[in-house]
């Protein structure tokens, strides 16, 4: 425009490049303006821990776990100098996306490949090697299965031996009054 100090950006080689830059800027603005929320997650198994880890980047996350520590079905028990996993003994990734996640966990030292011998039992043949076992790579948490959940929850507020069972509307006025979580045993408020 005449008399204006506006100058158009220098032309790039392809319109695709400009389009990509504009979309990236728009995405950055949306992320920067994202409203942080308080998020409560019940349980600390792999799915809950992965969810908490992902959400903590932009939200205030609290995990409520009824057990004494993280893990859910991947819990590790300790007693008299021994430890054992009483949930999942191992796991095998079946998808590319899960394989990528497991590779990251291995790099973090939360799990490792397990080369244990797998057998089957039948009344006719007794115990014999499992013919299907060689096809799958099996992983275990290190030093216990709950190491994965513990690692995923690093930096996330977690309240153990606490079970949230009820939600009710908060006491504030207006549409923004939120929700209150209640403790399973005492009925006391766990937070708003």
């Amino acid at each position: 425009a005449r008399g204006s100090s506006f100058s158009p950006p220098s032309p790039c080689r392809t319109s695709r490049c400009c389009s990509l830059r504009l979309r990236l800027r728009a995405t950055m603005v949306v992320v920067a303006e994202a409203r942080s929320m308080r998020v409560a997650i019940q349980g600390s198994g792999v799915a809950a821990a992965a969810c908490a880890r992902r959400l903590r980047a932009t939200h205030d996350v609290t995990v409520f776990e009824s057990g004494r520590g993280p893990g859910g079905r991947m819990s590790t028990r300790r007693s008299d100098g021994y430890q054992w996993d009483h949930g999942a003994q191992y796991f095998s990734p079946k998808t590319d996306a899960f394989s990528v996640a497991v590779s990251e966990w291995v790099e973090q030292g939360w799990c490792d490949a397990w080369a244990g011998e797998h057998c089957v039992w039948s009344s006719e043949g007794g115990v014999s090697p499992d013919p299907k076992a060689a096809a799958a790579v099996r992983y275990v948490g290190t030093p216990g299965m709950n190491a994965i959940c513990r690692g995923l929850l690093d930096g996330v507020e977690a309240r153990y031996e606490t079970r949230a069972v009820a939600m009710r509307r908060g006491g504030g006025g207006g549409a923004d009054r939120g929700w209150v979580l209640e403790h399973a045993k005492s009925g006391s408020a766990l937070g708003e």
Side-chain angles (χ1 to χ4, degrees):
R2 214 176 276 192
S4 165
S5 62
F6 172 78
S7 59
S10 59
C12 60
R13 293 183 184 171
T14 66
S15 61
R16 178 188 284 176
C17 176
C18 287
S19 173
L20 181 60
R21 266 191 278 170
L22 290 174
R23 279 185 285 162
L24 179 58
R25 284 185 192 146
T27 303
M28 290 167 53
V29 169
V30 169
V31 170
E33 293 177 357
R35 186 179 131 204
S36 180
M37 297 184 293
R38 293 185 68 201
V39 178
I41 297 174
Q42 177 66 50
S44 65
V46 173
C51 181
R53 183 178 185 89
R54 186 99 187 244
L55 289 172
R56 78 170 182 195
T58 53
H59 301 290
D60 181 18
V61 178
T62 303
V63 171
F64 297 94
E65 169 60 52
S66 60
R68 291 180 298 192
R73 299 272 182 218
M74 293 181 75
S75 294
T76 300
R77 300 280 185 193
R78 292 169 184 81
S79 180
D80 298 327
Y82 294 98
Q83 78 174 32
W84 64 96
D85 298 315
H86 65 96
Q89 296 85 24
Y90 62 85
F91 62 93
S92 298
K94 305 279 193 272
T95 66
D96 291 340
F98 190 39
S99 293
V100 168
V102 172
S103 294
E104 291 172 10
W105 300 347
V106 169
E107 286 177 23
Q108 293 290 329
W110 303 340
C111 69
D112 208 351
W114 180 51
E117 187 175 343
H118 299 270
C119 298
V120 293
W121 181 87
S122 70
S123 57
E124 298 84 31
V127 177
S128 61
D130 183 356
K132 298 176 189 173
V137 177
R138 291 170 173 80
Y139 292 87
V140 293
T142 54
M145 288 299 273
N146 70 345
I148 297 163
C149 300
R150 192 174 301 282
L152 288 169
L153 289 172
D154 186 37
V156 175
E157 180 185 354
R159 297 186 193 177
Y160 299 108
E161 298 186 53
T162 304
R163 186 167 181 201
V165 294
M167 281 190 340
R168 60 178 164 77
R169 278 293 203 182
D176 234 9
R177 52 188 190 152
W179 295 90
V180 176
L181 293 176
E182 293 180 354
H183 192 278
K185 293 180 182 173
S186 68
S188 61
L190 293 170
E192 250 181 77

